[in-house]
Amino acid sequence: MRQPKQQRAVETREGILRAAAEVFDEVGYAAAGINRILERAGATAGSLYFHFESKEGLARAVMGRQSERILPLLESEGLQRLVDITLLWSHQLQSDVVLRAGVRLTTEVGVLGMGGADKPYAAWSRVMEECLLAARDLGELQAGVDPAHVAEYIVATCTGMQMLSEAASTGRVDLPQRTRRMWQLLLPGIAVPATVVRLDLDPRRAQALERAEPVSG
């Protein structure tokens, strides 16, 4: 009898989180009222505060889901994995409301004075640094390239790039092409020539990755 109850709790939590993501994506953190989120989720205030404690806690849960929307779909390694992360990110920002809300909240929390505004950026930097460390072990990086510095640079570039894309286009439709241009400019400075010519930067690759079954582990 315990499993159905646990399953209902998981489903309730996920329903509230998705409803919150939809509202945060539509109106931003400041204008997102708890009652609006509850109405969207069809949930009670008691269930929301049981799972998330506060509106801020709910926002942080949405922000923390960003990498979960992408990493389970990938099997590649090294620099191709790093490229794939950004290609899939640029593609899914157009359709994945949880990812899109997480990105919006990440850019808003600092302005709103919430503590730990750098945590989502730091989390992405760690993910990308791991890819670059693997790339170094595979002999894909040029001598002297610092994985931590490059990872931080890519996170900063992607942050600005998606903001510019949002301002300049409808629904960030040009973000995948901007992402490819970023790699065309960056790779010759960090990767060995044999790797540069081998990597697949085609934005259409993201569509194939999105259709793939999530990779366990």
Side-chain angles (χ1 to χ4, degrees):
M1 294 295 293
R2 294 181 60 191
Q3 183 59 36
K5 184 177 180 180
Q6 291 173 347
Q7 185 61 34
R8 286 196 300 272
V10 170
E11 292 174 355
T12 297
R13 187 181 193 280
E14 290 302 308
I16 293 171
L17 188 142
R18 181 170 182 86
E22 292 175 358
V23 176
F24 288 140
D25 180 51
E26 291 166 6
V27 301
Y29 180 82
I34 288 294
N35 288 338
R36 185 172 181 176
I37 294 170
L38 290 174
E39 182 179 356
R40 183 74 59 90
T44 65
S47 61
L48 186 150
Y49 290 115
F50 173 78
H51 290 291
F52 298 103
E53 296 185 354
S54 66
K55 176 180 159 182
E56 180 177 332
L58 184 51
R60 293 192 185 282
V62 173
M63 286 189 287
R65 284 295 182 89
Q66 292 179 63
S67 64
E68 295 178 20
R69 315 299 289 186
I70 294 172
L71 298 184
L73 298 173
L74 304 179
E75 294 182 292
S76 47
E77 60 181 357
L79 283 178
Q80 186 65 64
R81 182 175 181 83
L82 182 54
V83 169
D84 287 346
I85 288 170
T86 61
L87 289 177
L88 194 52
W89 165 85
S90 69
H91 177 70
Q92 291 198 165
L93 269 176
Q94 300 170 58
S95 59
D96 187 329
V97 70
V98 177
L99 177 62
R100 194 164 57 241
V103 168
R104 175 169 184 166
L105 288 167
T106 298
T107 61
E108 288 184 348
V109 292
V111 176
L112 294 170
M114 292 168 59
D118 63 329
K119 287 184 178 180
Y121 298 112
W124 273 123
S125 291
R126 287 192 296 271
V127 167
M128 294 186 177
E129 184 179 357
E130 289 174 1
C131 295
L132 287 156
L133 289 169
R136 186 175 65 186
D137 292 342
L138 292 168
E140 296 179 338
L141 296 184
Q142 295 180 23
V145 171
D146 187 314
H149 291 170
V150 175
E152 186 176 277
Y153 175 81
I154 295 170
V155 170
T157 301
C158 287
T159 299
M161 191 165 56
Q162 68 85 15
M163 293 175 70
L164 178 58
S165 178
E166 182 183 24
S169 69
T170 301
R172 298 185 179 92
V173 293
D174 65 349
L175 187 55
Q177 291 296 337
R178 291 178 185 271
T179 302
R180 175 161 67 174
R181 289 197 295 271
M182 175 191 74
W183 285 115
Q184 289 171 335
L185 292 168
L186 179 60
L187 283 171
I190 66 169
V192 298
T195 297
V196 173
V197 300
R198 174 177 55 79
L199 293 175
D200 186 355
L201 309 181
D202 191 336
R204 290 174 297 182
R205 180 176 171 85
Q207 298 174 27
L209 292 169
E210 189 178 45
R211 290 192 297 267
E213 291 294 326
V215 180
S216 61

